Amino acid sequence: DAKTTQPTSMDCAEGRAANLPCNHSTISGNEYVYWYRQIHSQGPQYIIHGLKNNETNEMASLIITEDRKSSTLILPHATLRDTAVYYCIVRVRHFGNEKLTFGTGTRLTIIP
Amino acid sequence: NAGVTQTPKFQVLKTGQSMTLQCAQDMNHEYMSWYRQDPGMGLRLIHYSVGAGITDQGEVPNGYNVSRSTTEDFPLRLLSAAPSQTSVYFCASSYHEGPYEQYFGPGTRLTVT
């Protein structure tokens, strides 16, 4: 699986857009980009995933560069409840071999 | 749906004791897995299963056993607890085919003294 690089920590003002970057320069053509978050020692929560097109759901948007070597998770209007550790994971889907490799993630703090 | 449930929430063991962490899901997911998380670190995969009767090792399998006799349940057994196994344990499940997300349980906080 491709290795990912994320900043250790970031701050964002409440109500503003939080933009979390992730580098995955060794990504392969069949590898997906997943984002999860973990709020204060709870179980990780799925946010969004994509292959090469930009994706949006009710929680966030995922922007993947054209060369797929980096991506950005966007929380459009951050709230205090978005304070969490955010994990960017790159994973290929094999039949019979699906598992996630978590790094240390980005600790996002939303400032009131 | 209850989603992924784990019991117990907290457990204290003495070195050498054995115990089983329970995990169940009611979403008919084929895939289930166990992770551990140590302070300040990301999650590390212990064991996983792609369906009833099939299990495989993850990144850190030593000291743990699993079995998958039903689709719903995936217990994790600590054979002889060691202080190095003090951690928070998360169980997860997902559909097997397609790029589906994993659903995580609330975790079991285990302390081995």
Side-chain angles (χ1 to χ4, degrees):
Chain A
D1 294 340
K3 181 181 168 64
T4 62
T5 303
Q6 299 177 252
T8 303
S9 63
M10 295 179 63
D11 293 338
C12 178
E14 187 178 17
R16 304 297 293 268
N19 295 279
L20 291 89
C22 180
N23 285 324
H24 31 79
S25 58
T26 60
I27 192 169
S28 301
N30 61 347
E31 289 183 307
Y32 288 82
V33 180
Y34 290 84
W35 284 85
Y36 284 76
R37 73 180 181 183
Q38 189 174 24
I39 298 173
H40 189 56
S41 299
Q42 296 177 19
Q45 177 190 25
Y46 165 81
I47 301 172
I48 199 167
H49 75 275
L51 183 60
K52 50 184 163 183
N53 298 322
N54 297 338
E55 302 288 344
T56 295
N57 63 20
E58 64 278 4
M59 289 181 67
S61 295
L62 174 61
I63 308 298
I64 303 174
T65 58
E66 193 167 340
D67 63 6
R68 301 209 326 121
K69 293 185 177 182
S70 65
S71 60
T72 301
L73 178 74
I74 301 172
L75 308 177
H77 305 287
T79 71
L80 297 179
R81 286 177 293 182
D82 292 322
T83 292
V85 177
Y86 287 76
Y87 296 98
C88 169
I89 300 163
V90 174
R91 180 73 186 112
V92 64
R93 293 289 313 203
H94 292 304
F95 180 79
N97 193 28
E98 192 251 352
K99 49 188 184 285
L100 299 177
T101 301
F102 287 79
T104 53
T106 295
R107 183 172 296 277
L108 175 68
T109 303
I110 305 302
I111 310 297
Chain B
N1 286 350
V4 180
T5 57
Q6 293 183 236
T7 55
K9 285 187 169 53
F10 301 93
Q11 183 71 49
V12 179
L13 290 178
K14 294 188 188 304
T15 297
Q17 288 184 317
S18 62
M19 79 159 295
T20 299
L21 308 186
Q22 301 291 344
C23 175
Q25 52 90 12
D26 60 359
M27 297 173 281
N28 203 31
H29 286 166
E30 302 99 327
Y31 177 82
M32 296 185 74
S33 59
W34 277 102
Y35 295 85
R36 62 176 286 174
Q37 185 173 34
D38 300 316
M41 297 181 67
L43 283 74
R44 292 184 292 171
L45 183 67
I46 305 172
H47 284 286
Y48 66 100
S49 168
V50 300
I54 306 170
T55 64
D56 206 345
Q57 296 182 350
E59 181 185 356
V60 288
N62 291 341
Y64 307 95
N65 273 359
V66 292
S67 59
R68 185 96 179 270
S69 56
T70 67
T71 299
E72 295 77 18
D73 300 297
F74 190 45
L76 177 73
R77 296 185 193 85
L78 279 70
L79 308 171
S80 177
S84 61
Q85 294 179 304
T86 293
S87 190
V88 181
Y89 291 85
F90 292 101
C91 179
S93 73
S94 72
Y95 290 111
H96 189 195
E97 297 187 46
Y100 293 106
E101 66 269 28
Q102 288 197 11
Y103 293 82
F104 284 81
T108 294
R109 191 172 297 271
L110 176 68
T111 302
V112 182
T113 61

